[in-house]
Amino acid sequence: MNDTILDTRYKGFPRTSPPLARSAIGQAGWHVLDGRLPLPLAVIKRSALAHNLAWMQAFVRERGIELAPHGKTTMSPELFSRQLAAGAWGLTFATVTQLAVGVAAGARRTLIANQVVTDDDLAGIQALLAKHAGLRVVFLVDSLAQLALIAAWSAAHPGSQPFEVMLEVGVPGARTGCRTQDEAATLARALKASPAVRLAGIECYEGGGATGRSDHDAAYADALMTRVEAIARLCADEALFENDEVLLSAGGSAIFDLVADRLKPALGRPVRGLLRSGCYVTHDHGNYKRLLASVAERCGCTETLLPALEVWAAVQSRPEPGLAILTCGRRDISYDLEMPIPFARAPRGVMAPQAIPASWTISALNDQHAYLRWDAADEASAPVVGERIGLGISHPCTTFDKWHWMPIVEDDYRVTDAVTLHF
């Protein structure tokens, strides 16, 4: 893995610093709140990151399954390495371009939790397989039309390896995947008959139906996993799987506990259950925090994931009563699920975060500005121009893709490491 050289072309890198290798950032003596780093700045808390890596590995280990976390959350080679070192079986990606980044970072067991249909992507997979000994790439198939494209490509490229695939079981009204059992059975038999592919397992994605209401979510996940198990059993009974070990995979970041216990059905042959949750690595302050409260209640967990990703901004204007404008906008922080969540303040010259009034909220974002508002009763403790505001996020994926690097910080906000991001 290359040691990226960071410099002032990268957002968040200090204007007065010479270029530095990523690996040298931790020795630079930087502190998020000492005024040397430009704001806005997205940071990862090291202690929370370490906790989350260990927590999720313990979760899958206790259930006899394994973790193939979704790399699209971070697209960070350094975080991929930490996930693999913590015990992840492999890594999941959404595209072949993402896959190449993960392979360069050292991943050798990989899933593409998506349909591959273009000639360039099929050629790209074959090129990676030829270049990296021991590499395994498994992608999703959900239609005879897709299979025909794969078969045509393989026929035009004699000598190419058969593609390992998983049949995807889908949900009506949602995104990809076979909608009916008859459709899935027909496809499974066609996959077995095609020399272009090898059927390795069955996959689904349950996260699109999550509501946070345990009664609804449990019934929804149970119905989906019952369908998955039924098609897996049919494939086992008809000898349609072409490996000794069957892969069975599910798992977003919202109700993963409701599918985890269904990933190792008795099929008369070894089954490897793979959970693909990705957002666990940094968690968040909003959407997943609420959903994980339900997971913890269902599991009886005494502790859960911790928010590790923050964005710090400065107050740049107080144009009217009850309103402050921050130096952070849509180009810097997630907003696809909900607005950022203020959680702390640090006046100029203060090196430690302080509590904020409960009424502080972000009401809107522009490209480069956030609108911080508060109740009139809290006017005496209103923010002042120049102070720093810590913002939590919902849905870490869409904060990560706005940055090319992030510092890793200690709980006191000393910078001790850094990661790069490759979207």
Side-chain angles (χ1 to χ4, degrees), residues 4-5 20 55 74 88 147 172 182 195 200 215 217 254 279 322 353 358 370 402 418:
T4 303
I5 302 298
L20 285 175
W55 189 95
T74 69
L147 175 58
D182 287 345
D215 54 348
D217 292 346
C279 293
K402 300 175 188 300

Side-chain angles (χ1 to χ4, degrees), residues 71-97:
K72 71 178 174 64
T73 297
T74 69
M75 285 309 299
S76 170
E78 296 81 19
L79 292 178
F80 295 164
S81 295
R82 290 180 185 232
Q83 289 172 302
L84 292 169
W89 174 88
L91 294 173
T92 299
F93 301 96
T95 69
V96 178
T97 298

Side-chain angles (χ1 to χ4, degrees), residues 323-326 328 339 361-366 369-373:
L323 174 65
I325 304 298
L326 309 185
C328 174
M339 288 291 110
T361 60
I362 300 297
S363 64
L365 295 175
N366 299 144
H369 301 96
Y371 293 67
L372 174 62
R373 299 183 183 276

Side-chain angles (χ1 to χ4, degrees), residues 53-391:
L53 291 170
W55 189 95
M56 187 58 87
Q57 284 299 148
F59 178 89
V60 296
R61 184 172 59 250
E62 290 166 1
R63 287 155 181 80
I65 59 174
E66 303 208 53
L67 188 62
H70 215 315
K72 71 178 174 64
T73 297
T74 69
M75 285 309 299
S76 170
E78 296 81 19
L79 292 178
F80 295 164
S81 295
R82 290 180 185 232
Q83 289 172 302
L84 292 169
W89 174 88
L91 294 173
T92 299
F93 301 96
T95 69
V96 178
T97 298
Q98 293 175 3
L99 169 70
V101 175
V103 172
R108 290 298 178 267
R109 291 184 290 220
T110 66
L111 308 179
I112 299 179
N114 217 349
Q115 281 66 33
V116 176
V117 297
T118 68
D119 290 353
D120 181 70
D121 281 345
L122 293 167
I125 291 173
Q126 289 289 330
L128 288 169
L129 291 171
K131 182 178 179 181
H132 299 280
L135 175 63
R136 187 178 189 186
V137 179
V138 186
F139 64 83
L140 306 187
V141 176
D142 73 350
S143 70
L144 295 173
Q146 181 193 1
L147 175 58
L149 293 173
I150 298 168
W153 187 92
S154 294
H157 297 81
S160 60
Q161 299 183 42
F163 293 98
E164 270 200 282
V165 300
M166 300 177 76
L167 185 152
E168 181 173 24
V169 174
V171 177
R175 53 193 196 196
T176 52
C178 296
R179 295 320 202 226
T180 70
Q181 296 303 91
D182 287 345
E183 179 185 357
T186 298
L187 177 59
R189 294 170 183 132
L191 292 170
K192 169 68 172 180
S194 173
V197 299
R198 294 175 60 86
L199 181 58
I202 309 296
E203 183 271 358
C204 71
Y205 170 63
E206 81 292 341
T211 66
R213 303 190 309 273
S214 288
D215 54 348
H216 170 277
D217 292 346
Y220 169 82
D222 179 69
L224 176 58
M225 295 309 295
T226 296
R227 292 178 55 214
V228 167
E229 186 172 336
I231 191 62
R233 184 161 288 109
L234 178 145
C235 291
D237 290 345
E238 296 187 17
L240 304 182
F241 292 122
E242 300 201 52
N243 299 329
D244 291 338
E245 178 183 77
V246 176
L247 302 181
L248 209 64
S249 180
S253 297
I255 55 172
F256 54 85
D257 62 307
L258 295 175
V259 298
D261 292 331
R262 302 287 300 275
L263 290 178
K264 294 198 72 172
L267 298 180
R269 63 175 66 199
V271 176
R272 187 176 300 273
L274 296 174
L275 203 65
R276 302 191 310 276
S277 310
C279 293
Y280 79 92
V281 68
T282 59
H283 197 43
D284 72 11
H285 291 75
N287 179 65
Y288 288 123
K289 180 180 179 180
R290 289 188 293 272
L291 290 168
L292 261 291
S294 296
V295 173
E297 183 178 353
R298 290 191 295 264
C299 295
C301 300
T302 56
E303 59 180 24
T304 185
L305 299 171
L306 301 175
L309 179 59
E310 305 170 1
V311 178
W312 282 82
V315 179
Q316 71 177 81
S317 178
R318 282 283 314 277
E320 62 188 59
L323 174 65
I325 304 298
L326 309 185
T327 59
C328 174
R330 292 172 181 254
R331 298 184 184 274
D332 311 303
I333 197 166
S334 300
Y335 60 91
D336 55 322
L337 293 182
E338 60 186 281
M339 288 291 110
I341 303 155
F343 69 89
R345 67 193 303 176
R348 284 177 64 86
V350 175
M351 299 276 283
Q354 300 175 356
I356 61 170
S359 69
W360 284 23
T361 60
I362 300 297
S363 64
L365 295 175
N366 299 144
D367 281 356
Q368 310 283 180
H369 301 96
Y371 293 67
L372 174 62
R373 299 183 183 276
W374 55 90
D375 292 346
D378 291 322
E379 186 64 33
S381 57
V384 300
V385 171
E387 79 170 303
R388 290 72 56 85
I389 308 298
L391 299 172

